[in-house]
Amino acid sequence: IDGDTPAITDSFDSLSGWTGGTLETSSSYYGNFLGRYSNGSKTNGQDVSKSFTLNSQPATLSFDFIKLDSWDAENFRAYINDTVAFTGNFRYDQAISSTSGTTNGFSWTIAPKDSFDYHGFSGWQDQTATITISLPSGYSNVKIGFGSDLNSGVSDESYGIDNLSIIQSNINSTDTLTLNASTITGNV
């Protein structure tokens, strides 16, 4: 068994292959990231998306969600093949807390990455959280997308994405594990 292999990593130093992709480069706190997105036009609820080729083994998608400014109980969503895999409701006056759940069969976690503070663009508290979504086996081609139901422009509220990775299980079906019961000690 070979272990896990990073299939994809993207810290958004440039854009490559993102439909609807924009690159934010003006923040000294965040550096470059995918975004900012708000109430603009969407395709299937998504502001931005990209397709990836995987090995059909279970995989883990992880990315930093950057919540900027005055969210008013609005939702951020991550999509797998146009199906919502994560949805979170966020407010301008509440810090993001660690939690986990399942959406449409996708298990996910969210955990704050930085402090709830004034990091961003227009005078409201911001926060970054790492979101992790488990993909079951069977995905050889996967479209990952992000969207929200924000109702104001980027000067009032927005989000970004950074540090995206997909870690695939790298299982070689020809590998064999043999245990010899005579060499195992303890209660067998």
Side-chain angles (χ1 to χ4, degrees):
I1 300 175
D2 296 323
D4 292 336
T5 305
I8 309 294
T9 59
D10 200 338
S11 58
F12 302 102
D13 293 323
S14 65
L15 287 176
S16 178
W18 288 92
T19 301
T22 61
L23 189 64
E24 177 61 57
T25 61
S26 68
S27 171
S28 61
Y29 180 80
Y30 293 109
N32 292 358
F33 62 88
L34 184 67
R36 298 182 288 158
Y37 297 99
S38 60
N39 67 339
S41 63
K42 299 176 188 322
T43 302
N44 296 322
Q46 299 162 64
D47 296 301
V48 60
S49 64
K50 183 175 178 177
S51 294
F52 301 93
T53 301
L54 302 180
N55 65 7
S56 297
Q57 298 300 321
T60 302
L61 166 66
S62 179
F63 59 91
D64 291 343
F65 162 64
I66 304 168
K67 182 192 74 68
L68 297 165
D69 302 316
S70 71
W71 288 58
D72 305 304
E74 291 153 314
N75 297 296
F76 167 77
R77 296 179 184 96
Y79 295 80
I80 304 295
N81 289 347
D82 295 326
T83 298
V84 176
F86 169 86
T87 187
N89 185 270
F90 301 99
R91 294 184 47 86
Y92 67 91
D93 59 351
Q94 291 178 336
I96 298 171
S97 58
S98 294
T99 191
S100 61
T102 302
T103 303
N104 293 320
F106 295 97
S107 298
W108 53 262
T109 63
I110 183 171
K113 184 174 180 175
D114 64 5
S115 63
F116 183 55
D117 207 343
Y118 300 96
H119 305 300
F121 296 87
S122 68
W124 300 88
Q125 291 176 305
D126 311 301
Q127 193 169 18
T128 303
T130 300
I131 296 173
T132 303
I133 301 170
S134 297
L135 282 69
S137 62
Y139 285 93
S140 57
N141 295 299
V142 63
K143 177 183 163 192
I144 297 172
F146 304 105
S148 74
D149 60 8
L150 293 171
N151 60 9
S152 293
V154 295
S155 63
D156 182 45
E157 55 193 10
S158 63
Y159 74 90
I161 303 296
D162 204 0
N163 301 316
L164 182 138
S165 69
I166 302 173
I167 307 297
Q168 297 182 94
S169 295
N170 189 17
I171 299 172
N172 184 340
S173 62
T174 62
D175 288 345
T176 304
L177 175 63
T178 304
L179 297 176
N180 183 340
S182 66
T183 62
I184 300 174
T185 60
N187 295 330
V188 180

